[in-house]
Amino acid sequence: MSLLRRWAHYIKHKVGNEDSPQETEIYGHPINALYSHEYWAEVRYVSSWHIRKCVSSAGFKYGVDNWHPYTACVKEYALGRDSGYQGSVLEKFYTVFQPNNMFEAMIAGKDLASASDISPKCYVFPWEPRGVREKLSSLKVSVEAENKHHGYDSLTLEDGFPYHGPVSEQKGEMEYSRLIGLYHSISKIGYQRSDTPAGDIRGSLLCR
């Protein structure tokens, strides 16, 4: 468990109305939490870990000594080296990184025959209790809802995926605007969390 600097606790929430009180159970170890709970998605872990130990779904690492297209784009903007999406690091990334299938998108190192015909937009991990068709269906809903939330009602999943190219010009502009807007917000007021279940940054904890 070298991934973590400290353990905090594991929380299990009852299924029900979000406005109603929720039962909370504290676990001392992740295995206890997982074995004690029926639904994997409802086990929430609260802790802290070093950013250098974190990677994106596509395999890009965070931290000062690593490279990620989003952080590279923001750094470029902060240094005054770009004036918009056109010509930015993000546009170049979307132009260059255009995987053909799921395993290429996740930088798996080799193209497995079983995934050669799976959309690069579909990241299905071994620990997920759902298949490709279900994942793509939910992905379409979430991506298009996100586009609409940012004022791009006409954009669909066909316009592109946030994590790699190809993307339409409008999709690229939207993702660029989101990044720069986030940069200005954090610069001005800091990182603001909420008390909702999604109030912190979420991720998957892998135990070696």
Side-chain angles (χ1 to χ4, degrees), residues 5 26 49 58 103 114 117 128 137 183 188 191 193:
R5 286 186 296 170
I26 307 301
W49 56 91
F103 272 78
S114 61
D117 59 348
E128 289 189 78
S137 178
Y183 164 73
K188 184 178 180 180
Y191 173 68
R193 74 169 303 280

Side-chain angles (χ1 to χ4, degrees), residues 5 7 15 27 46 54 64 66 74 109 111 121 129 133 139 142 146 152 160 167 175 194 199 208:
R5 286 186 296 170
W7 287 107
V15 179
Y27 300 93
V46 182
C54 302
V64 176
N66 303 119
V74 171
D111 181 7
K121 298 182 179 71
R133 184 174 300 178
L139 180 67
S142 62
E146 201 168 63
Y152 290 77
V167 300
E175 295 299 335
S194 70
R208 189 185 301 274

Side-chain angles (χ1 to χ4, degrees), residues 171-184:
K171 178 65 174 177
E173 293 279 2
M174 190 203 84
E175 295 299 335
Y176 179 87
S177 296
R178 290 178 61 193
L179 283 174
I180 302 309
L182 181 62
Y183 164 73
H184 283 299

Side-chain angles (χ1 to χ4, degrees), residues 4-207:
L4 304 177
R5 286 186 296 170
R6 65 180 176 84
W7 287 107
H9 57 262
Y10 280 78
I11 303 175
K12 181 179 76 173
H13 291 283
K14 275 187 173 181
V15 179
N17 191 319
E18 291 184 359
D19 296 327
S20 64
Q22 293 179 316
E23 177 187 348
T24 298
E25 294 186 22
I26 307 301
Y27 300 93
H29 192 278
I31 299 300
N32 292 337
L34 294 172
Y35 273 98
S36 300
H37 199 25
E38 183 179 356
Y39 302 104
W40 69 277
E42 293 164 19
V43 177
R44 297 193 178 96
Y45 172 72
V46 182
S47 186
S48 65
W49 56 91
H50 203 289
I51 192 68
R52 289 198 304 268
K53 298 291 186 178
C54 302
V55 298
S56 69
S57 300
F60 294 106
K61 296 182 179 181
Y62 303 96
V64 176
D65 300 326
N66 303 119
W67 191 90
H68 189 289
Y70 291 174
T71 54
C73 178
V74 171
K75 286 178 182 178
E76 183 184 57
Y77 175 84
L79 293 172
R81 294 176 181 171
D82 80 65
S83 56
Y85 174 65
Q86 297 295 328
S88 68
V89 167
L90 189 63
E91 184 196 31
K92 295 172 184 174
F93 170 72
Y94 283 146
T95 300
V96 172
F97 187 42
Q98 299 187 5
N100 294 308
N101 54 56
M102 183 179 74
F103 272 78
E104 284 186 12
M106 298 172 71
I107 315 180
K110 61 181 179 180
D111 181 7
L112 301 184
S114 61
S116 62
D117 59 348
I118 299 177
S119 168
K121 298 182 179 71
C122 188
Y123 293 9
V124 180
F125 299 103
W127 54 87
E128 289 189 78
R130 55 180 171 177
V132 173
R133 184 174 300 178
E134 184 182 357
K135 189 70 178 281
L136 279 173
S137 178
S138 63
L139 180 67
K140 176 178 172 63
V141 173
S142 62
V143 169
E144 293 180 2
E146 201 168 63
N147 292 341
K148 186 175 182 179
H149 175 74
H150 291 281
Y152 290 77
D153 298 32
S154 63
L155 295 185
T156 69
L157 186 57
E158 297 304 313
D159 283 281
F161 191 56
Y163 304 148
H164 57 72
V167 300
S168 67
E169 185 173 345
Q170 271 195 313
K171 178 65 174 177
E173 293 279 2
M174 190 203 84
E175 295 299 335
Y176 179 87
S177 296
R178 290 178 61 193
L179 283 174
I180 302 309
L182 181 62
Y183 164 73
H184 283 299
S185 176
I186 294 177
S187 297
K188 184 178 180 180
I189 63 175
Y191 173 68
Q192 302 293 309
R193 74 169 303 280
S194 70
D195 291 326
T196 63
D200 288 299
I201 296 173
R202 293 178 295 174
S204 298
L205 174 64
L206 303 185
C207 302

